[in-house]
Amino acid sequence: MKATFHGHACFVLERDGKRVIIDPFLTGNPAAVVGPDKLPHLDAILLTHGHGDHLGDAVALSQKHRATIVATYELAQFCADQGGTSHAMHIGGAHEFPFGTVKLVPAFHGGQVEGDTTGRYTTNPAGVVVTMGGKTVYHTGDTALTLEMQLLAGPPRVDLMLVPIGDNYTMGVADAARAVEFVKPKSVIPMHYNTWDIIKADPAEFRRLVGSTSAVTILKPGESFTLS
Ligand code: NI
Ligand code: MN
């Protein structure tokens, strides 16, 4: 599987000719090096929550690629009402899609949906566990450090964990390193930092704190990591 970082919390995962994007915040993302028009074909769009820096270009990409948005029920409903195609799930549930399996897991964060003036789409934020061709990726979404993460320690081990380190809105480097200790993934990539000054963080410090628990790969936007 290939994981490409597009800045902030946005990743594209590719395996066996299938491609999904997680939290497609490209328009207005100061860290992104590609715009939404430059992405190759997408089979699905996975959302952790409805904040603007995660929902991003989801509806436009869903329309362009005829790609299904996978999210919690309320957020999936919002995307459908905005003209996207969506598949509703909820925390604790898994579903098998043509590209692989998605399970939504708990995240402690805010649930407001960007662009919702009614408040009726406010939902639980989620982490996303996606398995494609036997490789499992855990994108924590925006979250605090939670004991629930220990439930993901396996076996089988998570192959790749994507974890926020920017502090202020999410875990900072120290809590993120503890989250890695809880989950014990084979590999980890830090995210959700340095997009703006308020979430400035040092990924080398995160790597030092993780130590030998997991292999830390630090990606610049546009760079990819291949899981062997
Ligand atoms: Ni958020
Ligand atoms: Mn965020």
Side-chain angles (χ1 to χ4, degrees):
M1 180 195 285
K2 189 167 100 167
T4 302
F5 182 46
H6 285 293
H8 202 55
C10 179
F11 288 84
V12 169
L13 306 179
E14 295 179 67
R15 172 91 177 184
D16 301 331
K18 300 287 186 190
R19 195 178 293 111
V20 303
I21 193 165
I22 307 175
D23 287 356
F25 170 50
L26 296 168
T27 300
N29 178 354
V33 294
V34 297
D37 297 345
K38 294 282 182 283
L39 292 172
H41 177 76
L42 300 170
D43 293 285
I45 299 155
L46 315 183
L47 299 179
T48 62
H49 64 297
H51 288 166
D53 58 320
H54 298 261
L55 175 62
D57 300 298
V59 170
L61 288 171
S62 171
Q63 291 173 338
K64 180 181 177 193
H65 298 279
R66 298 180 185 279
T68 302
I69 297 168
V70 179
T72 53
Y73 177 83
E74 296 80 6
L75 182 53
Q77 195 77 59
F78 176 81
C79 292
D81 290 348
Q82 296 293 310
T85 305
S86 66
H87 177 103
M89 299 180 64
H90 236 300
I91 311 294
H95 185 78
E96 204 174 306
F97 295 90
F99 60 85
T101 301
V102 175
K103 183 174 185 179
L104 299 184
V105 297
F108 281 8
H109 191 64
Q112 197 175 47
V113 175
E114 177 81 15
D116 168 24
T117 54
T118 68
R120 72 190 179 95
Y121 300 102
T122 297
T123 186
N124 287 91
V128 172
V129 179
V130 53
T131 304
M132 296 169 72
K135 295 288 181 190
T136 298
V137 177
Y138 169 36
H139 186 301
T140 68
D142 283 1
T143 184
L145 177 66
T146 77
L147 286 172
E148 279 77 1
M149 291 170 175
Q150 295 181 358
L151 298 171
L152 294 170
R157 281 175 82 182
V158 166
D159 292 288
L160 174 64
M161 181 174 176
L162 309 171
V163 65
I165 65 164
D167 224 332
N168 193 76
Y169 303 110
T170 67
M171 295 182 281
V173 288
D175 279 358
R178 292 192 69 195
V180 172
E181 180 60 38
F182 284 172
V183 177
K184 295 181 174 58
K186 291 176 188 165
S187 295
V188 58
I189 298 173
M191 63 173 179
H192 213 277
Y193 67 99
N194 291 357
T195 316
W196 301 283
D197 279 352
I198 186 81
I199 55 170
K200 234 179 172 37
D202 179 6
E205 170 70 359
F206 169 70
R207 177 189 270 152
R208 191 185 66 74
L209 291 171
V210 169
S212 59
T213 306
S214 297
V216 177
T217 298
I218 298 166
L219 294 183
K220 292 190 186 74
E223 291 182 342
S224 297
F225 171 74
T226 302
L227 288 80
S228 49

